[in-house]
Amino acid sequence: MGEVKTPRQWFLWSIALIYVCAFASIYVQIPGLYGDEGILPVRLQVPKVQRPLLEQESLLCLGPYLGLEPQQTLELMCLLGVALGLGAVLLEPLRDSLIYLCLQALYLSLYNVGGDFLHSEWDVLLLEAGVLAVLVAPLGLLHSSYRYHDPVSFWLTRWLFFRLTFCTGVSKLASGDPAWYDLSALSHHLENQMSPTLLAWYVHQLPDWLLRLGAVVVLQSEIIVPLVTFFAPIRRLRLFGFYVQLFLQLCYILTGNCSLLNLLRITLSFSLLDDDHFNSNSGPKKKKGQDKKPRSYGQALVSYLTLLVELAVYLFILYSFITLFKIQINWEEKTLSSKTSFNQNGFNAFLEVFQELTIWIGVLSFTWEAVSAMLNCVCTRGIASKLWSLLQWAVITAAAAAVFALSVVPYTSMAGMSVSKVLPAVRDAYSAVERYQLVGAYGIQHRLISAEGRPEIILEGSYDGLTWTEMNPMYKPGNVNAVPPIVGPHQPRLEWLMWQAAQGGDDTSPWFTGLIQRLLQGKPEVVRLLQVDEAQYPFSQRPPALIKAKLYNYHFTDPAKDKTHLQNWWRRQYKKEFFPIVNLDDPTLNKLLEESGLKEKFPVQPGSDTPLSQVLSLIRGHVKGLSGSLVLSTLLATLAGIFLIKAILSWALGNRKPRPASADHKPKKPKEPSEMAEKSQAPATSNRGSKKDSNEKKDTDRSPRKRK
């Protein structure tokens, strides 16, 4: 891992690790999503764009120059991303600004050609965090381990973390979701989230009053806590905000699997820490009383005032927790009751006031960091060093100010906020660079939590139209007896879009039409997106002749109520037909394919036989047939093994160091030439003094007592 001792270094290391997971997860799914026989073949997009090379929005245009097909070009980009990310994870010198720029360009290229499969909130967040990593990471050309402008660039990660957390919490209430206003959202969220875990089922069995209290904690953690702690000048308040957010993300991971969004939130939370938080236990221990110095009256007064302000903030959080949600304790039943004391109009009024206030807080905090960094540059020794530091500060501060100004536009675009207050010049600049995904909008895609259960699309196939068999996916509910899966950091893109389509009720999306077509054709690349194990797929020997889709509402089973469902994890109810019965020759299917641009207008060209193409085919052959979760688990386990071996070796080599010699047997050190020179250049007064001392010694030796 290298020397990771500061929050900035932890941020860069974590971003590199997340890039590895993201690129590896996409690589496994490329044949089924974008291959020649995938759901949305990427080769159909290549002829649509004929522009100069420098105007292309994706590196996919470099494929013909390398002798690669579009699918293999995507695979090469993913493999390069994994290789660069692994290098940055394992080697500290590779955590360089140029490396993160390459990772950003590769992922942006995938995003621009990925369509609906890669347009999730965590993809947008990773692109913006990647831009910040380019600014935060050191540039190897400068050969500087610490730069005085580091706090300025790293401050942007705190601003991003605030926008993400605050907008996520605000969107829950600004959207008018009744589940959050009556505090029943957490109970429904546990079964409505994308990939609930086994622990989510057990948490769902908790008492209703405890789940309502959990909803209050979520709202407090995402709205009130960021407002009063993220930009606080008191260190302990920022640490409090960090541990609250860390606890919240760990709860999300345990109940809803570990997604890239959770990892990115934890990574961004490092911006709330400082260097002392990591180095407090690494320095040499001081003796008792060594660092105890009498404090002046002014220092003591500042310390007491800081403590009072800190206590006031904690009391404010507790007061808002009790009053805004009417927390009352029932001592007889040993329960808590909670209810919101505000409505949507009141919350919108609060948001209208605090929208502009939060922006000005950000301006003041950024100005403080910029001025502090400039003063540090001015205090450097040497005119050349001072000018060089000021030049770096000016460039980075200007870039950080531009990113901050651009981020205000999407920040004010969420529900309840007004983008009209932003300067027209800033809005025009944002529109000009929007395609580069420098900044993103968060919280604007909040979906209302359904109290009717979790909607799920169930695909069914048949040979004769009489007997229908379900095609259950690996990573989302289908079979009511199946244990909720552990997905890990792998992001199954097809299951995510099916989950989104079930909530939105859209059955005319191009990707869904392409999915039906490929399943009717029995394409193994697409089948492996649903089931890697052929024994679990009922049509592995022969593709179905007919396919239809139904919409069900799923609920977690309740052992106290569902006596007949003791062996099931889910119970479901039929809602409606989602997609009609079709076959390959069905005119409805062909019409949808034509409208989606998925008809085979461009025939598949024979594959190239270049050495690079052969290497890519060889790598694909080794990964073929493996699930995404298995590939990522193996990759992460390998990294953990490397770090463990490195730690053992460093510990073993550290114990072999020779022990210092004891005081009684210390070898005499030869006198240094400098010491000899100092003695020879001693002042004359000392020589006279030494002669006088020697004469006195001789006199004492001649005393009568000494002669006796």
Side-chain angles (χ1 to χ4, degrees), residues 261-453:
L261 183 61
N262 302 126
L263 296 179
L264 284 168
R265 284 174 177 267
I266 294 175
T267 300
L268 294 174
S269 68
F270 293 144
S271 60
L272 300 177
L273 305 178
D274 51 18
D275 296 353
D276 294 337
H277 189 74
F278 294 96
N279 298 332
S280 57
N281 296 325
S282 59
K285 295 183 178 180
K286 297 181 180 181
K287 296 181 180 180
K288 293 183 177 179
Q290 185 176 353
D291 57 346
K292 291 184 178 179
K293 296 180 180 180
R295 292 191 301 175
S296 63
Y297 176 77
Q299 292 176 340
L301 181 61
V302 171
S303 178
Y304 290 136
L305 289 177
T306 301
L307 183 60
L308 289 177
V309 172
E310 185 179 353
L311 292 176
V313 171
Y314 294 144
L315 290 176
F316 171 75
I317 295 175
L318 182 61
Y319 173 78
S320 62
F321 182 82
I322 296 175
T323 57
L324 293 179
F325 301 98
K326 296 182 179 179
I327 304 296
Q328 295 181 354
I329 303 177
N330 189 332
W331 298 103
E332 296 180 358
E333 299 181 1
K334 297 181 180 180
T335 60
L336 286 174
S337 63
S338 54
K339 182 181 179 182
T340 54
S341 60
F342 54 89
N343 53 22
Q344 187 175 0
N345 293 332
F347 182 77
N348 289 338
F350 156 82
L351 191 58
E352 185 177 356
V353 173
F354 276 84
Q355 169 199 359
E356 189 172 352
L357 179 61
T358 55
I359 295 175
W360 283 111
I361 290 176
V363 171
L364 292 176
S365 179
F366 176 78
T367 304
W368 174 266
E369 295 291 347
V371 172
S372 300
M374 183 190 66
L375 293 178
N376 289 332
C377 294
V378 172
C379 295
T380 54
R381 295 181 178 180
I383 298 178
S385 176
K386 185 177 300 184
L387 292 177
W388 178 239
S389 299
L390 286 173
L391 178 62
Q392 295 182 61
W393 171 86
V395 173
I396 295 298
T397 303
V403 173
F404 172 71
L406 292 175
S407 68
V408 175
V409 178
Y411 174 62
T412 56
S413 64
M414 68 177 181
M417 291 190 175
S418 175
V419 74
S420 60
K421 297 182 179 180
V422 183
L423 295 176
V426 177
R427 295 201 302 266
D428 295 340
Y430 173 78
S431 301
V433 300
E434 186 177 4
R435 61 177 180 170
Y436 299 110
Q437 300 297 322
L438 299 180
V439 292
Y442 309 102
I444 61 176
Q445 299 179 351
H446 176 76
R447 294 180 179 272
L448 301 181
I449 297 179
S450 174
E452 298 179 356

